[in-house]
Amino acid sequence: AAPWPPPPPSSWARSPSPPRHEPAPAPPRPIVTPPGCPCAPGRGRDRPSRQPSRPSTSRGGRGAKPPALPFRVGHGFDLHRLEPDLPLIIGGINIPHDRGCEAHSDGDVLLHCVVDAILGALGLPDIGQIFPDSDPRWKGADSSVFMREAVKLMHEAGYELGNLDATLILQKPKISPFKETIRSNLCDLLGADPSVVNLKAKTHEKVDSLGENRSIAAHTVVLLMRK
Ligand SMILES: [Zn+2]
């Protein structure tokens, strides 16, 4: 019969015990940086290694060229008040409802929030600063105008969409019958494959203005990738 317990594999064999005098200090571990990482040393940034990894040009003022990070993340949030007898436009699609968004433009909460996520990822000012509601040009404007501008800015900065995840929050109406149409329009505006554009919808459990059909909100996260 085999001996019990079985002997450990040879790879488990202990190394010989160190001599019982002062232990030698461990050698410093080399810092391994993956190739292509913006923090990698020797990429033209003359700075001590203990400095924060943020490139010195990252906040060179508004309008400064974004640093050439391989990825950029952006978050967008928007909320609009719902008022009776206004059209409800979500993601460029007219949704039948007894009320719609009160806004200077067409009040498309989803497109506004996607635009803000893209602008945020690029480190640019938000949609309200780029398209101020004091400007008569944007009165009743189709929000696809803002989307096209944000996508143009993204490409000009040298990025393309990695993926996008959006969540609509509204109590009424049910969005499921329109979800695919909205998503498809979003893909067209972004010039993106449907596999990288995700859309979710939730109610607000009948609480607060969102849950009482008095407002509608959306959150979006985008990942941009350097082209
Ligand atoms: Zn808005």
Side-chain angles (χ1 to χ4, degrees):
W4 189 262
S10 57
S11 60
W12 291 9
R14 289 184 180 206
S15 52
S17 302
R20 289 186 172 271
H21 54 74
E22 286 266 303
R29 285 189 181 190
I31 297 165
V32 181
T33 316
C37 175
C39 316
R43 299 190 70 186
R45 291 192 194 97
D46 295 321
R47 55 183 166 77
S49 59
R50 282 179 182 272
Q51 288 250 326
S53 59
R54 200 167 82 176
S56 59
T57 53
S58 67
R59 283 286 173 185
R62 292 295 191 193
K65 205 175 171 203
L69 297 173
F71 302 103
R72 297 189 70 106
V73 169
H75 171 258
F77 170 74
D78 197 28
L79 181 146
H80 282 269
R81 208 168 56 237
L82 288 170
E83 295 289 351
D85 306 320
L86 288 173
L88 178 61
I89 298 163
I90 301 178
I93 307 300
N94 210 321
I95 310 286
H97 195 31
D98 63 350
R99 56 196 73 189
C101 290
E102 171 72 35
H104 184 69
S105 67
D106 65 359
D108 194 322
V109 72
L110 180 59
L111 294 194
H112 293 179
C113 154
V114 169
V115 165
D116 255 354
I118 294 171
L119 296 177
L122 296 172
L124 293 172
D126 68 29
I127 186 170
Q129 285 175 267
I130 293 190
F131 309 102
D133 59 11
S134 53
D135 189 331
R137 273 183 302 166
W138 316 124
K139 175 118 184 86
D142 188 327
S143 293
S144 62
V145 172
F146 312 143
M147 275 287 286
R148 292 204 176 86
E149 181 64 19
V151 169
K152 194 180 112 200
L153 289 168
M154 172 180 79
H155 288 298
E156 282 173 2
Y159 288 87
E160 62 188 353
L161 183 72
N163 72 306
L164 176 151
D165 187 24
T167 304
L168 274 168
I169 307 166
L170 73 170
Q171 197 66 39
K172 291 180 190 172
K174 262 200 176 314
I175 286 299
S176 47
F178 309 100
K179 219 162 98 174
E180 277 314 303
T181 316
I182 295 171
R183 190 163 78 116
S184 163
N185 194 45
L186 213 47
C187 292
D188 288 349
L189 290 168
L190 291 161
D193 188 88
S195 64
V196 297
V197 177
N198 191 44
L199 177 63
K200 310 188 292 297
K202 299 177 72 71
T203 71
H204 208 254
E205 295 292 332
K206 297 184 180 170
V207 297
D208 302 335
S209 65
L210 286 163
E212 292 164 3
N213 194 26
R214 291 189 288 117
S215 65
I216 175 171
H219 289 268
T220 300
V221 174
V222 294
L223 176 72
L224 307 187
M225 304 191 308
R226 190 140 189 92
K227 289 195 270 189

